Amino acid sequence: MKKKILLLMGVFTFGILNAQVGINTQNPQATLAIVSEGNTSTSQALAVENVSGTEILSLRDHGHMGLGVNNPMVRLDLRDGVNNSIMGIGNSSQTATAAKAGALKYDSGPQALYLSDGTNWNKLSANVIRTYVVADIINISQSFATNTSTTVMNWRELEDLLGTFSPTTGIFTAPRTGTYTISAIVTFDAGLVGANSYMQMELISPSATVKCQTTYYGAATFQTSVLCSGNFQLSAGETLKSAIYHNMGTAKSPKAGYCNLSILEN
């Protein structure tokens, strides 16, 4: 007898799982079909309340849904009058054409919102904090050998809004894709300068290098310096640094207080 009951229960359960259920309709066209009794903004198709009786979801018969909003005024309404009425938007690899016009996505690389126009993803304007780096050299702990390109290191960081610059290594890392302007000046202590020599600064990114030179025709003993600036298009995570090359014949050291660096995101 027990086996027969279990068999019947199994058949009955199987029948329910494969049936179409209708609420307020005798002819359901889906696994679960719900037909409301109205078709205007004043009638409600679905309501969900929490245990306190507060309505947390409302779907009106004209297709407007509210989350915490009893009377949604737009297709999706989150404006419940409190300070956490926010919506999370995730990243997507879809093309703008596939997503269609009006779609939104968040790109974690540049940390920006994009709106599809049906063809392209267009970056929405925002008040993004732009990186800004200022540094100088006051402690002399580096020497620049002749006929050698040497990265300028051991800066003193004065300003770095987003923590994008390593003063020890002298390497800047772009926080997002964009255009960055770098300007630097390095001055050597007074010393012997050979005839027909030069001091060259190199501003180096993974895809481009800008070089600036100061040339000296007569041999003498004096301070030498070079100033250089440039604009670089960097992708998020790409680096930028300054280096010095000279052929003055002897190793040179920077002069404290006469070396400065600035990097600005445009």
Side-chain angles (χ1 to χ4, degrees), residues 91 105-114 121-124 126-130 162 174-178 180 233-237 265:
N91 209 339
K105 75 169 184 176
Y106 174 74
D107 193 331
S108 58
Q111 300 178 354
L113 281 175
Y114 288 81
W121 285 110
N122 300 300
K123 186 176 180 180
L124 300 178
N127 293 323
V128 178
I129 298 177
R130 300 184 184 277
L162 300 181
R176 55 188 148 257
T177 299
Y180 296 84
Q233 183 67 33
L234 301 178
S235 297
E265 179 183 5

Side-chain angles (χ1 to χ4, degrees), residues 131-234:
T131 188
Y132 179 57
V133 173
V134 177
D136 65 2
I137 294 177
I138 59 171
N139 295 317
I140 307 307
S141 57
Q142 185 177 16
S143 178
F144 294 85
T146 188
N147 296 316
T148 303
S149 179
T150 305
T151 301
V152 185
M153 300 185 294
N154 302 321
W155 295 90
R156 178 181 66 164
E157 189 176 73
L158 301 175
E159 188 74 68
D160 186 5
L161 294 181
L162 300 181
T164 53
F165 181 67
S166 170
T168 302
T169 64
I171 295 176
F172 167 82
T173 303
R176 55 188 148 257
T177 299
T179 303
Y180 296 84
T181 298
I182 177 174
S183 180
I185 182 171
V186 171
T187 300
F188 286 158
D189 275 329
L192 180 64
V193 178
N196 299 314
S197 61
Y198 65 88
M199 180 178 177
Q200 176 176 282
M201 177 174 287
E202 302 167 337
L203 305 176
I204 305 168
S205 77
S207 58
T209 298
V210 173
K211 297 181 180 180
C212 306
Q213 281 188 359
T214 302
T215 57
Y216 307 97
Y217 296 102
T221 299
F222 53 86
Q223 289 181 182
T224 59
S225 65
V226 62
L227 169 67
C228 197
S229 62
N231 293 323
F232 291 82
Q233 183 67 33
L234 301 178

Side-chain angles (χ1 to χ4, degrees), residues 3-17:
K3 291 182 179 180
K4 290 181 179 179
I5 293 174
L6 291 174
L7 179 60
L8 288 172
M9 289 179 62
V11 172
F12 181 73
T13 302
F14 181 82
I16 292 176
L17 291 175

Side-chain angles (χ1 to χ4, degrees), residues 40-62:
T40 68
S41 61
T42 59
S43 56
Q44 198 165 27
L46 179 66
V48 178
E49 297 181 354
N50 62 22
V51 71
S52 301
T54 301
E55 188 172 274
I56 57 176
L57 185 149
S58 173
L59 177 60
R60 296 285 166 164
D61 282 319
H62 65 333

Side-chain angles (χ1 to χ4, degrees), residues 94-104 114-121:
Q94 272 191 315
T95 64
T97 302
K100 298 190 181 300
L104 284 170
Y114 288 81
L115 174 67
S116 169
D117 61 8
T119 303
N120 299 301
W121 285 110

